[in-house]
Amino acid sequence: MKMFKKITLLSALFSTGLIMPSLISVLPNVNLATAYADSETKTKRVPALREKVYSQLARAQKLADDGQVTEGLAALDSVKERASSMNSYEVAMMHNFYGFIYYNENQLDKAIESFQAVIKQEAIPESLRLSTTFSLAQLAMANNDFNLTLRFLDEWSAATPQAPKSNFYILKAQAQYQLKMYNDAINNINSAINIVESEGDLPKENWLVLQRAIYYSLGQPKNVVKVLEKMVNLYDKPQYWIQLGGMYGEVGADKKQLATFETAKQRGFIKSKSDYMQLAQVYLMNSLPYKAAEILDQGIKAKVVEDNAKNLTFIAEAFVQAREDKKSLPYFIAATEKVEHGNLDQRLAEIYLNLEKYEEAADYARMALNKGELNFESNAYVALGMAQFNLQNFDASILAFEQAEKHKKSANLAKQWIKYVKREKVNAETLKQALL
């Protein structure tokens, strides 16, 4: 007789921002023919599976194996109608196959109810009780019932004489993580990892993902770093390099952060918008503004980073910090076209002043004032005044500084400039008269 197919449970990914460990387990797999044969040798405490019930369950199994689910359930319903005349082992086997069919149909609530009915029977093999209880924990986990998961695990642990294995601790840690029982969860995930490592094996990748998530939730960044270092060494995935670089920044290991991101860049791991943005910030924090500008510009040209005013301004200001004022100009100009306010025009006026291009400085200072909505309007008047002075437009310069004088922030500076410009105007007129 064909063996009822083996079913595996794969837990769903949970919406935590991180991938939770996949949990694969085999549901209690019962070969009906073997169960019937073994029933002849059971101890007196476990009643036999009689030929009549065996044949009826076998028929239901055959229908289910052939994909005739409705017919298989109908056959089991027919058996259930005579449950009062069946012994506890026969009833358990009936519910067991109900559970299999419901699980195959993704009806987890009904599957859980059926397998619970199995373990409620008193006279069944202890091995069946234990395996079904553990599978119930896994089904509850797949059904997002985390408290029920822990309850079944506790029942299983209390009933088994054997020391729990790593899969027990993993399942328990996963449920506790979902319930925000982080201190308990970290103890269990660490137990699972310690077991496999003591046996000379490597922990599964998703176990480390869970361990990292728990440490992060506990607010233990140094332990998060240790886990990520292990993940980088064992699995060498791009996202782990990026995450490790970010966590080095959180623990103040700036040199390691820079080195990690540099490695990620050289290996082609910088791909997403957040990757480009993070690396640009890391360069800037490590006094490498030119590289910060370059990497964000690369992100824009790769059409990964948005070509918006904020990012263009970041590049421009980074070039200014790198004393590359000329390189900043096209980015400032492009950014001005994407905003309504005049703040970026004001910055252009200041940059052109530094480059001693006074006509352009005056033009952008006027544009800034015309657009308005300036954070520091006085700075635009100061820039205009300085540009006009250098163009020897003394009266226009004095007018601009008089406007700047009205602002508390620039009043003293404006007064000094007004005196200076007036004196230079007199000198210029005196010189002009002398030359006549």
Side-chain angles (χ1 to χ4, degrees):
M1 179 177 293
K2 184 166 67 172
M3 180 177 178
F4 194 91
K5 64 182 179 180
K6 185 179 291 185
I7 304 172
T8 60
L9 258 182
L10 179 61
S11 70
L13 297 178
F14 294 95
S15 55
T16 61
L18 296 169
I19 298 178
M20 291 301 297
S22 296
L23 182 64
I24 299 177
S25 137
V26 178
L27 287 173
N29 188 43
V30 178
N31 184 329
L32 189 52
T34 304
Y36 176 70
D38 288 347
S39 69
E40 301 301 325
T41 60
K42 303 278 182 199
T43 63
K44 290 182 180 180
R45 290 182 298 168
V46 179
L49 178 61
R50 291 171 294 177
E51 171 65 29
K52 183 178 180 180
V53 177
Y54 161 75
S55 62
Q56 292 171 326
L57 292 177
R59 176 171 172 269
Q61 176 181 312
K62 179 65 167 59
L63 289 167
D65 283 347
D66 292 341
Q68 296 176 276
V69 175
T70 302
E71 292 80 357
L73 285 172
L76 286 176
D77 289 342
S78 180
V79 175
K80 190 175 182 181
E81 289 175 359
R82 295 183 292 277
S84 59
S85 65
M86 294 161 56
N87 62 49
S88 59
Y89 186 47
E90 292 166 340
V91 172
M93 292 299 292
M94 176 191 70
H95 286 299
N96 198 54
F97 284 102
Y98 267 120
F100 274 122
I101 294 175
Y102 285 134
Y103 176 76
N104 265 341
E105 293 301 298
N106 201 32
Q107 298 184 44
L108 296 187
D109 288 334
K110 288 186 176 181
I112 290 171
E113 183 180 347
S114 296
F115 287 122
Q116 281 185 290
V118 173
I119 61 176
K120 284 179 181 177
Q121 305 306 311
E122 294 184 3
I124 61 173
E126 192 61 21
S127 59
L128 176 61
R129 189 186 306 279
L130 287 172
S131 63
T132 303
T133 302
F134 196 86
S135 294
L136 276 165
Q138 295 172 301
L139 279 168
M141 189 70 192
N143 206 32
N144 295 335
D145 192 336
F146 310 119
N147 284 306
L148 189 59
T149 300
L150 295 178
R151 196 192 92 189
F152 285 133
L153 286 174
D154 288 341
E155 289 179 9
W156 180 87
S157 180
T160 183
Q162 299 178 350
K165 295 184 179 180
S166 58
N167 61 343
F168 167 84
Y169 292 110
I170 288 295
L171 185 54
K172 198 164 191 179
Q174 190 177 5
Q176 289 167 334
Y177 175 77
Q178 294 298 321
L179 292 169
K180 296 181 171 44
M181 301 167 61
Y182 301 129
N183 287 311
D184 293 325
I186 199 62
N187 289 333
N188 283 300
I189 187 65
N190 288 346
S191 293
I193 292 172
N194 289 338
I195 287 172
V196 297
E197 288 183 339
S198 67
E199 295 171 350
D201 294 324
L202 296 176
K204 294 179 181 178
E205 183 178 356
N206 50 27
W207 296 7
L208 295 176
V209 171
L210 177 58
Q211 187 185 39
R212 179 198 62 189
I214 299 170
Y215 275 131
Y216 191 85
S217 297
L218 284 168
Q220 299 180 17
K222 290 183 179 179
N223 282 323
V224 175
V225 167
K226 290 178 181 178
V227 177
L228 281 168
E229 287 173 340
K230 183 185 290 188
M231 295 172 77
V232 164
N233 289 328
L234 292 179
Y235 302 107
D236 194 29
K237 289 187 176 180
Q239 65 266 32
Y240 300 151
W241 282 92
I242 301 299
Q243 291 165 10
L244 179 58
M247 289 307 303
Y248 276 140
E250 285 203 27
V251 299
D254 296 338
K255 298 293 183 183
K256 287 185 176 181
Q257 182 184 40
L258 179 60
T260 301
F261 271 110
E262 278 285 5
T263 301
K265 178 189 173 186
Q266 291 170 12
R267 296 185 62 188
F269 295 162
I270 305 299
K271 295 180 179 179
S272 70
K273 171 188 170 181
S274 62
D275 295 345
Y276 279 103
M277 298 295 288
Q278 277 195 83
L279 182 53
Q281 292 288 349
V282 168
Y283 280 143
L284 204 59
M285 289 186 294
N286 283 274
S287 302
L288 297 168
Y290 194 94
K291 298 187 81 169
E294 278 192 324
I295 193 64
L296 202 60
D297 189 39
Q298 289 172 20
I300 291 176
K301 288 175 179 174
K303 297 184 178 180
V304 176
V305 176
E306 294 95 331
D307 182 19
N308 58 30
K310 181 179 179 181
N311 293 331
L312 291 168
T313 302
F314 179 97
I315 295 171
E317 294 289 5
F319 275 131
V320 171
Q321 286 190 37
R323 299 182 181 179
E324 293 284 352
D325 287 2
K326 286 184 180 180
K327 286 185 179 292
S328 76
L329 292 174
Y331 298 96
F332 273 128
I333 292 170
T336 62
E337 298 172 357
K338 298 178 182 293
V339 296
E340 299 293 329
H341 59 74
N343 289 299
L344 298 178
D345 297 278
Q346 177 187 308
R347 283 295 288 136
L348 274 164
E350 294 164 353
I351 300 302
Y352 276 120
L353 273 176
N354 291 338
L355 293 171
E356 298 182 359
K357 293 188 174 183
Y358 303 118
E359 290 282 2
E360 291 87 346
D363 288 343
Y364 275 103
R366 282 191 289 265
M367 279 192 276
L369 291 165
N370 288 336
K371 288 183 179 180
E373 298 182 42
L374 300 176
N375 295 331
F376 302 103
E377 186 182 54
S378 61
N379 289 356
Y381 282 116
V382 169
L384 179 59
M386 293 174 69
Q388 296 287 29
F389 169 76
N390 282 284
L391 291 169
Q392 295 194 339
N393 298 325
F394 299 118
D395 289 337
S397 177
I398 291 169
L399 286 174
F401 282 121
E402 284 176 346
Q403 291 298 317
E405 188 180 9
K406 295 177 182 179
H407 297 267
K408 184 177 180 181
K409 179 184 175 183
S410 58
N412 291 333
L413 177 65
K415 287 177 182 177
Q416 293 173 12
W417 266 101
I418 291 170
K419 290 180 182 178
Y420 178 68
V421 174
K422 285 180 177 179
R423 186 169 61 248
E424 289 301 310
K425 178 184 177 183
V426 171
N427 291 339
E429 290 175 348
T430 301
L431 179 60
K432 182 179 180 180
Q433 289 297 324
L435 291 173
L436 289 177

